[in-house]
Amino acid sequence: MRRALFLSPLALAACALPEAVPDPALVARQEAACTAAIAQHVRRPESAVTARFLSEAGGIATVETLDGDRRHLCMVDAGGRVIDYRHPDA
């Protein structure tokens, strides 16, 4: 005999809740801060660096930048300050 799986409406609703969407203005500031820091780091103009917001945890965003084929990850706080950056592929 097969058992039916019954889920409560509350459990189903919890699965459908959207993830928190970060504030677009904050994301833009964090991406700009990372772009500026990495451009200075690689001694290239900011226009040669592209940034992409990846995630946020504990008030710290992770922003990926590319200058050519080199990848960098910045940790940026809510004030738009770059706390640290790494070369994940090095």
Side-chain angles (χ1 to χ4, degrees):
M1 177 188 310
R2 298 175 107 180
R3 292 187 180 179
L5 177 63
F6 293 101
L7 295 175
S8 73
L10 183 59
L12 289 172
C15 293
L17 290 176
E19 291 184 27
V21 177
D23 173 27
L26 175 58
V27 168
R29 281 194 309 272
Q30 291 169 322
E31 287 177 340
C34 186
T35 297
I38 297 305
Q40 182 179 16
H41 168 65
V42 298
R43 296 183 183 109
R44 297 186 68 190
E46 289 183 23
S47 61
V49 177
T50 60
R52 179 173 66 110
F53 178 89
L54 295 180
S55 64
E56 183 274 328
I60 305 298
T62 301
V63 178
E64 174 188 62
T65 58
L66 296 171
D67 74 298
D69 61 348
R70 292 181 293 187
R71 194 174 121 189
H72 311 269
L73 294 178
C74 294
M75 280 23 94
V76 187
D77 70 12
R81 289 179 297 273
V82 175
I83 298 167
D84 193 16
Y85 58 82
R86 297 178 277 187
H87 303 97
D89 302 324

